[in-house]
Amino acid sequence: MEQEEETATPTSPQPTSSEPTPPPSVSPAPVGLSQLEFSTLTPTITEYHTYSVGPGQCSSLLAQRICSPSRFVWSIVRRFDIPQIYKHFIRSCAIKGGGGVQVGCLREVSVISGLPANTSTERLDILNEEKKITGFTIIGGEHRLRNYKSVTTVTEFDEGGEIWTVVLESYVVDVPEGNTEEDTRLFADTVVRLNLQKLKSLAEAAMAAEMQNQGQD
């Protein structure tokens, strides 16, 4: 099917009350998703990509369509220990304590120079191999993205023999002092968007390589 660029769906303006707002309701399909995709993904969006966004926070949801089966995508996304495979601006990553990847483990990420960050300590919150869902929270480090929490879901579609995957990535984060909600969302959306574009390239290249190898057998 025709490829469309990923897009961000901003949250509604924040109230002035000190109490967190209730989770936003699922509204019209994010731009870039077909009606079929949105209808299929609505339960996933409701369960995993809906946040209680309080004053001084912002949230966003981005979507990326990838022309490959989900197994190629998930094999990359699931690697909490080596996010630099597809995430830009990461110099290195190591699991604290040297253990394996499991829910609750921590990774220490070093960021490349030129960004308003040096290091990031991140906790793996979810890694559901069956549903292809993962998520993490930034809990420390030298950066400005305080209380950043992200969830990524990978969903395969098969329509009329055509197979493709839609990746949804959402986040909620504190707005740094001296920044606006719009500035914060623009920065975070840009980073996520670049990562999703690279993920698309890697997954589609992996599928093409496998098909080429099968053709040579």
Side-chain angles (χ1 to χ4, degrees):
M1 65 185 298
E2 183 178 352
Q3 175 188 339
E4 299 183 40
E5 290 299 322
E6 76 293 349
T7 55
T9 302
T11 58
S12 56
Q14 302 304 314
T16 57
S17 168
S18 60
E19 295 297 323
T21 60
S25 59
V26 177
S27 55
V31 178
L33 293 183
S34 68
Q35 190 56 51
L36 167 67
E37 292 166 341
F38 180 62
S39 298
T40 302
L41 292 168
T42 292
T44 298
I45 294 172
T46 302
E47 183 172 1
Y48 297 103
H49 297 289
T50 305
Y51 303 92
S52 295
V53 182
Q57 292 186 312
C58 69
S59 179
S60 189
L61 170 63
L62 293 95
Q64 176 69 63
R65 184 181 294 113
I66 299 176
C67 299
S68 76
S70 61
R71 62 187 178 89
F72 293 101
V73 181
W74 180 243
S75 68
I76 300 169
V77 172
R78 67 181 297 278
R79 295 303 302 268
F80 184 74
D81 53 335
I82 45 175
Q84 63 269 36
I85 292 178
Y86 77 99
K87 293 192 174 186
H88 294 268
F89 314 119
I90 294 179
R91 178 187 296 115
S92 63
C93 175
I95 300 297
K96 292 193 68 173
V101 174
Q102 57 186 339
V103 172
C105 71
L106 303 179
R107 67 184 179 193
E108 292 287 352
V109 173
S110 295
V111 181
I112 66 173
S113 60
L115 289 179
N118 292 313
T119 62
S120 180
T121 303
E122 303 169 0
R123 181 187 65 231
L124 180 61
D125 297 327
I126 180 172
L127 184 65
N128 190 317
E129 299 280 1
E130 180 180 358
K131 295 184 177 181
K132 296 182 175 62
I133 302 169
T134 188
F136 70 94
T137 299
I138 296 179
I139 62 172
E142 300 177 23
H143 55 81
R144 303 194 70 193
L145 295 178
R146 301 301 176 190
N147 295 317
Y148 183 95
K149 179 180 178 64
S150 174
V151 175
T152 302
T153 56
V154 176
T155 305
E156 181 172 298
F157 289 81
D158 186 345
E159 184 72 11
E162 181 180 7
I163 298 175
W164 72 98
T165 299
V166 172
V167 178
L168 296 177
E169 183 166 345
S170 62
Y171 66 83
V172 60
V173 66
D174 292 354
V175 176
E177 184 177 354
N179 287 72
T180 66
E181 180 180 326
E182 291 72 22
D183 289 341
T184 303
R185 185 182 294 112
L186 176 62
F187 172 76
D189 279 359
T190 299
V191 174
V192 172
R193 184 176 294 111
L194 289 171
N195 292 341
L196 291 176
Q197 289 172 348
K198 186 173 182 181
L199 174 62
K200 170 182 170 63
S201 297
L202 291 172
E204 292 178 355
M207 181 189 69
E210 180 179 284
M211 292 177 64
Q212 182 177 12
N213 290 336
Q214 290 175 345
Q216 295 174 350
D217 292 341

